[in-house]
Amino acid sequence: MGKFRIAWLPGDGIGGEVLQAARIVLDSVGLDAEYLPGDIGWNFWCSEGDAFPQRTIDLLKATDAAMFGAITSKPARAAEAELAPELRGQGLVYRSPIVRMRQLFDLYICLRPCKAYPGNALNYREGIDLVVFRENTEDLYCGVEFTPVPSELAALLARISGPFGAFQQLPGDQYAVSCKINTRKGSERITRRAFEFAHRFGRKKVTIVHKANVVRATDGLFLEVAKEVGEEFPEIPFDEANVDALVMWLLRNPFNYDVLLAPNLYGDIISDLCAQMVGGLGFSCSGNIGEQLGVFEPAHGSAPKYAGQFKVNPIATILAAKMMLDWLGESEKAVKVESAVAHVIQEGRVKTYDMGGNHKTLEMAEAIARAISG
Ligand code: NAI
Ligand code: MG
């Protein structure tokens, strides 16, 4: 038995290919771990009506961390149509397993480091080094949604909300409601983690991202709480920005920013922008982190058009494995992996298609593994 138990969740499309690549690197760095494969993704939705079966939930309860590839998600109607015939018409509803996992295991931090490794021709600018702390369980992703809108809800809103008057006459099937719910607790804990991170790694400032001038209740709460917590860290300066202005300024001068703290939806969006500034989806990794469990994944999806071709870039997933090593306390190994990735990028001899080369997924992993072994 290894020192760590790691759930291994390839999922769909290219998920298995990039995880295979990550495993080559984890083995070369000598992580003492037992890898436990788990079922997740579209096939399990189609065949058993559940993309995140209970046995996988149980597996995650008994592991230290997980590596997750990617899953395919489709809109409700398309999902229903692909169910095995005997499962149709039972009212089964597809929900993204990764969103469920975040809620079930309270993985409230989505950590997305976006670093431009020197010499990557895809860098928007050399020297970019941003870290996004995205709240991961609340906000518009809380799952409280109505379509069609039930008449009880419409009646209540008509009674208590003035602005709802504009929608009051609509039949329930002519509009939809998604609730944005943000809590004091949720806003506080993500902020605290962001400032602790800034403190620990000597980052120069934290920027609170919001749209509190318009979305007054929820973003107002987030901003208020984040500022309160920020005051507890006098050594870390912080500022705030409206999300729309921020994306513009971020592109204009990424060096004005360092740690970006945001509620769920804005965090999702700005982290994709940040990813593109450091080479795109092939380079962007993500950690979903709670008090008990960390689930590490590339930020990209299942890229169905490349599935089976072993040509996508595994660096995002290898950097996710690096984050996992950090989280497990294996910092020396994490540094080795990151240095090897940086070395291979800088050297520029092995490049996947997105980098303008034609090396395969596993060739990239092997080059990184060689750089680790010296
Ligand atoms: P995607 O991220 O899977 O791929 C979009 C495009 O980005 C690809 O066609 C490819 O050109 C490029 N790309 C992605 N990963 C790459 C890599 N490692 N190396 C080089 N190029 C790469 O996004 P798409 O096509 O919008 O979604 C496909 C499926 O994945 C959908 O079902 C979507 O719901 C799902 N998805 C799942 C996510 C997850 O599992 N966390 C995240 C995003 C999307
Ligand atoms: Mg996203």
Side-chain angles (χ1 to χ4, degrees):
M1 242 189 66
K3 183 170 167 198
F4 300 109
R5 286 168 59 84
I6 295 170
W8 201 252
L9 313 174
D12 302 311
I14 59 169
E17 299 165 33
V18 290
L19 275 203
Q20 207 177 317
R23 181 63 192 276
I24 291 172
V25 172
L26 285 170
D27 286 347
S28 80
V29 83
L31 183 69
D32 182 14
E34 188 185 351
Y35 297 94
L36 304 145
D39 296 336
I40 196 164
W42 197 250
N43 288 338
F44 301 96
W45 162 255
C46 297
S47 60
E48 27 186 298
D50 192 352
F52 187 32
Q54 185 61 41
R55 59 184 179 280
T56 308
I57 296 173
D58 294 338
L59 169 71
L60 284 171
K61 284 183 184 158
T63 47
D64 300 300
M67 283 294 295
F68 170 58
I71 33 117
T72 297
S73 288
K74 298 187 187 176
R77 225 162 283 160
E80 166 87 23
E82 290 190 34
L83 273 177
E86 68 275 16
L87 295 172
R88 285 180 213 156
Q90 293 181 19
L92 292 169
V93 178
Y94 180 82
R95 276 198 72 200
S96 157
I98 187 72
V99 175
R100 272 172 65 203
M101 196 190 297
R102 286 166 184 160
Q103 279 159 358
L104 206 53
F105 289 91
D106 205 17
L107 307 175
Y108 64 92
I109 306 164
C110 182
L111 176 57
R112 300 244 325 234
C114 295
K115 195 192 273 190
Y117 290 96
N120 183 355
L122 297 171
N123 287 339
Y124 174 62
R125 307 254 170 88
E126 286 288 331
I128 295 174
D129 184 5
L130 297 160
V131 179
V132 180
F133 271 79
R134 161 187 168 197
E135 199 291 319
N136 217 15
T137 54
E138 308 190 331
D139 201 61
L140 267 172
Y141 294 40
C142 67
V144 184
E145 302 196 281
F146 304 92
T147 174
V149 179
S151 53
E152 307 95 283
L153 179 63
L156 175 67
L157 289 172
R159 204 148 38 81
I160 63 175
S161 162
F164 185 72
F167 307 99
Q168 198 176 343
Q169 303 306 331
L170 289 171
D173 62 355
Q174 292 302 303
Y175 68 120
V177 172
S178 298
C179 296
K180 173 166 153 87
I181 302 181
N182 299 72
T183 67
R184 226 166 230 291
K185 176 184 165 195
S187 309
E188 187 194 322
R189 61 186 184 172
I190 187 70
T191 304
R192 210 169 277 292
R193 297 294 99 78
F195 276 91
E196 283 165 2
F197 175 93
H199 176 84
R200 182 164 158 219
F201 294 102
R203 310 291 301 212
K204 63 178 191 276
K205 79 166 172 183
V206 174
T207 300
I208 307 163
V209 184
H210 62 86
K211 185 74 185 173
N213 56 341
V214 179
V215 190
R216 295 211 196 91
T218 44
D219 285 1
L221 176 80
F222 187 86
L223 178 59
E224 178 192 318
V225 173
K227 281 160 115 176
E228 275 166 27
V229 174
E231 299 295 347
E232 293 175 31
F233 295 80
E235 72 286 11
I236 309 291
F238 66 86
D239 59 7
E240 48 158 301
N242 279 305
V243 62
D244 48 344
L246 175 92
V247 291
M248 190 180 69
W249 289 112
L250 196 55
L251 264 189
R252 194 169 154 138
N253 191 355
F255 305 109
N256 277 349
Y257 299 94
D258 191 334
V259 175
L260 298 162
L261 164 66
N264 210 335
L265 177 64
Y266 310 143
D268 195 1
I269 296 169
I270 59 175
S271 51
D272 276 17
L273 173 66
C274 293
Q276 191 55 41
M277 294 199 284
V278 299
L281 288 171
F283 293 85
S284 173
C285 58
S286 175
N288 302 279
I289 301 169
E291 300 298 336
Q292 310 294 335
L293 181 70
V295 178
F296 301 87
E297 55 165 336
H300 61 72
S302 60
K305 73 177 181 205
Y306 293 124
Q309 298 181 28
F310 281 90
K311 70 178 278 188
V312 297
N313 191 345
I315 288 181
T317 313
I318 291 166
L319 290 172
K322 179 259 172 203
M323 288 177 86
M324 179 180 77
L325 292 169
D326 272 326
W327 194 74
L328 291 170
E330 296 283 336
S331 313
E332 254 175 58
K333 292 185 169 58
V335 169
K336 279 191 194 164
V337 171
E338 188 177 27
S339 309
V341 168
H343 174 78
V344 170
I345 292 173
Q346 174 102 66
E347 206 181 37
R349 265 194 264 161
V350 178
K351 293 194 266 192
T352 45
Y353 87 92
D354 55 316
M355 302 167 79
N358 51 22
H359 288 90
K360 298 288 215 168
T361 305
L362 300 185
E363 289 173 326
M364 175 60 86
E366 280 150 12
I368 293 167
R370 273 197 305 279
I372 288 171
S373 337

